[in-house]
Amino acid sequence: MKLSEKVAVVTGGARGIGLAIAQRYLAEGAKVVVADIDEASIEDAVERLKNEAGDEVVMGVRLDVCDRASIDGLVKAVIQRFDGIDILVNNAAVFDMAPVLEVTEQSYDKQFNVNVKGTFFMLQTVAQAMVERGQGGKIINMASQAGRRGEALVSMYCASKAAVISLTQSCGLDLIKHGINVNGIAPGVVDTPMWKEVDALFARYENRPLGEKKRLVGEAVPYGRMGHPEDHTGAAVFLASSDSDYVVAQTLNVDGGNWMS
Ligand SMILES: NC(=O)c1ccc[n+]([C@@H]2O[C@H](COP(=O)([O-])OP(=O)(O)OC[C@H]3O[C@@H](n4cnc5c(N)ncnc54)[C@H](O)[C@@H]3O)[C@@H](O)[C@H]2O)c1
């Protein structure tokens, strides 16, 4: 029980990696807030988590990380219910891809709004509440191997995730004086609903049958398969617990060996 009595907010927590982290945090004794834009998925996730861990330790809130008022509302609601926030997992993101000559302004805006602006203002708003409370905290930004290098068809998503790694560094350096550790996790290829969308886009742009790209990227992972959401929960617990107090501004690759840095 590494997170006993801690209060954790997980954005994009209604499915995929976020949901697996929410589940694991509850098993480690935390109270968990599932914050997501998709109300139907929140309902399903919250019902499942309450069945596993009990009504009193789970809260679901609709959140749009692109909307400052929505972020403020979430933080207020969590403080009202649970007194404060100890852990933020800044996990919500969207993916899109296109050849450079075909990237639209709409696709650029969507990815940078959710993945960069949303990540930063979630972090800032929660950090303000943590500083006011005076008990420090842990903030974990979900980056990606896509942020470690470019990809011909994935320019905007890669740039947005490189920005997440950079924000993790700057925010980590600035906030550690308040006892707030900001670190990141960079997954590789993970079998979640997002990768279903990724596979369909690769099928379109690389003229492949559905499922082929997913199979190929899985086979190419040194570990021998794609990641499962649960593969990331150990790192998420470590970075949320006091075991990582001396870890500052780092982004940890959890990717089966795909990337070394
Ligand atoms: N799946 C992968 O292969 C992979 C690889 C590297 C990094 N990642 C990163 O891991 C994180 C989780 O990925 P996943 O595969 O579980 O994704 P997913 O698409 O399955 O889940 C993302 C969740 O974020 C929510 N969301 C989207 N926009 C939002 C908004 N504006 N406000 C609040 N919530 C919003 C969605 O509703 C969804 O529940 C993301 O940051 C992603 O970029 C994923």
Side-chain angles (χ1 to χ4, degrees), residues 11-19 35-38 41 62-67 90-95 110 113-115 141-146 157 161 185-195 197-198 226 229 232:
T11 72
R15 69 181 204 188
I17 297 171
L19 177 57
D36 202 288
I37 199 166
D38 181 346
S41 301
R62 187 191 176 274
L63 164 77
D64 180 358
V65 296
C66 304
D67 177 357
N90 230 342
N91 166 78
V94 291
F95 178 92
K110 174 81 180 162
N113 269 334
V114 179
N115 302 1
N141 295 326
M142 204 54 70
S144 171
Q145 72 176 15
Y157 180 79
K161 289 297 180 175
I185 295 173
V189 286
V190 191
D191 196 357
T192 67
M194 180 183 272
W195 236 96
E197 296 161 24
V198 175
M226 280 187 101
H232 305 79

Side-chain angles (χ1 to χ4, degrees), residues 106-150:
Q106 190 191 24
S107 173
Y108 173 96
D109 283 344
K110 174 81 180 162
Q111 290 176 89
F112 271 77
N113 269 334
V114 179
N115 302 1
V116 184
K117 184 178 170 195
T119 293
F120 178 72
F121 284 105
M122 264 310 297
L123 177 151
Q124 186 195 58
T125 311
V126 169
Q128 284 163 348
M130 286 172 169
V131 171
E132 205 168 305
R133 189 175 177 220
Q135 297 180 21
K138 302 279 183 180
I139 297 179
I140 299 154
N141 295 326
M142 204 54 70
S144 171
Q145 72 176 15
R148 300 289 193 193
R149 77 285 185 275

